[in-house]
Amino acid sequence: MRGLLFPAAILAIWELAGYLGVISQTLLPRPTDIFVSFIDLLTTGNLLYHFQVSLLRALGGFLIGGTLGLLAGLLVGFSSKTEQTLDPTMQMLRTIPTLAVIPLFILWFGFGEVSKLLLIAKGAFFPLYVNTFLGIRSVDTKMFEVAKVLEFSRWKQIKNLVLPSALPNILLGLRLALGAAWLALVAAELMGSSEGIGYLITDARQFSQTTVVFVGIIIFAVFGKASDSFVRFFERRLLKWRDSYKG
């Protein structure tokens, strides 16, 4: 509940400034006007349809990119030879901005769903890859000495030692990958899409419907936060054993 105080205060000041005419209604409409637009879009059915399209795109791209990123991170983390072979190329590809590959994806795959899914998958791939790799390599080597004394098999070392120790980094990578997938979704839907929340924002911009633009932006923000909170819930459940600083 405490986390709602700050946004509530901002909304109250925003509404008051709009009501008093301090800010332009065209450039920054009042929250009540945005809410009315949200209800209008909801009752006509347009909003639910476009949101469903965007959600399926984000989930599809995240599952593709996240799964590949997790597997690649595990392979590179467990094998130094694989690291020497793959990691330099991965780090080079990681530095390429997502927006820079949009023209290439359009040339290769057109404006269809394939290019959008691959763009989202690219955004989700690298956070999970890097954090999984770092999580595995950050395991204390002294724990392996204990495992040798206890005569742990290779699989038992991985299951009882490496993966639990790397889990905080992997879950962090999962949170970052979800955020990157939402960001890539916006870019994907702004490149010639005919449906989705990104298309709704672009269409509203052309007709100067600022309230509808804000509705789309707020939807991205709310569901991005919801996905992050979903992972944090499992993070608290799975990492109860970890004694960390609470602030």
Side-chain angles (χ1 to χ4, degrees), residues 83-196:
E83 177 192 357
Q84 295 166 6
T85 304
L86 291 181
D87 191 60
T89 304
M90 292 296 183
Q91 296 301 332
M92 181 180 65
L93 294 174
R94 185 174 65 87
T95 59
I96 300 175
T98 300
L99 293 177
V101 300
I102 289 179
L104 189 62
F105 279 19
I106 292 174
L107 287 173
W108 284 351
F109 309 107
F111 289 99
E113 290 299 312
V114 175
S115 58
K116 294 176 177 59
L117 286 175
L118 291 179
L119 196 66
I120 297 167
K122 178 191 177 298
F125 176 89
F126 290 104
L128 255 174
Y129 165 74
V130 171
N131 281 278
T132 301
F133 167 58
L134 291 177
I136 293 172
R137 291 304 176 89
S138 63
V139 179
D140 193 345
T141 54
K142 293 179 181 178
M143 299 179 72
F144 286 99
E145 296 176 3
V146 176
K148 288 180 180 179
V149 173
L150 296 175
E151 298 182 349
F152 278 9
S153 64
R154 180 66 173 171
W155 167 243
K156 208 169 183 179
Q157 288 181 26
I158 293 173
K159 186 181 71 170
N160 297 338
L161 175 64
V162 178
L163 291 181
S165 299
L167 192 58
N169 283 79
I170 295 174
L171 290 173
L172 173 61
L174 185 63
R175 291 175 60 188
L176 295 175
L178 279 169
W182 279 107
L183 292 175
L185 173 67
V186 179
E189 291 189 338
L190 291 179
M191 62 174 196
S193 180
S194 59
E195 51 190 3

Side-chain angles (χ1 to χ4, degrees), residues 50-68:
H50 289 297
F51 174 72
Q52 182 182 10
V53 171
S54 294
L55 184 62
L56 290 176
R57 281 174 180 161
L59 288 176
F62 170 75
L63 288 175
I64 295 171
T67 302
L68 293 176

Side-chain angles (χ1 to χ4, degrees), residues 11-40:
L11 288 175
I13 296 171
W14 182 358
E15 179 70 26
L16 182 61
Y19 178 77
L20 297 175
V22 177
I23 54 179
S24 170
Q25 292 294 308
T26 304
L27 297 178
L28 195 63
R30 290 156 55 186
T32 50
D33 295 332
I34 297 171
F35 182 72
V36 170
S37 292
F38 170 75
I39 296 299
D40 289 340

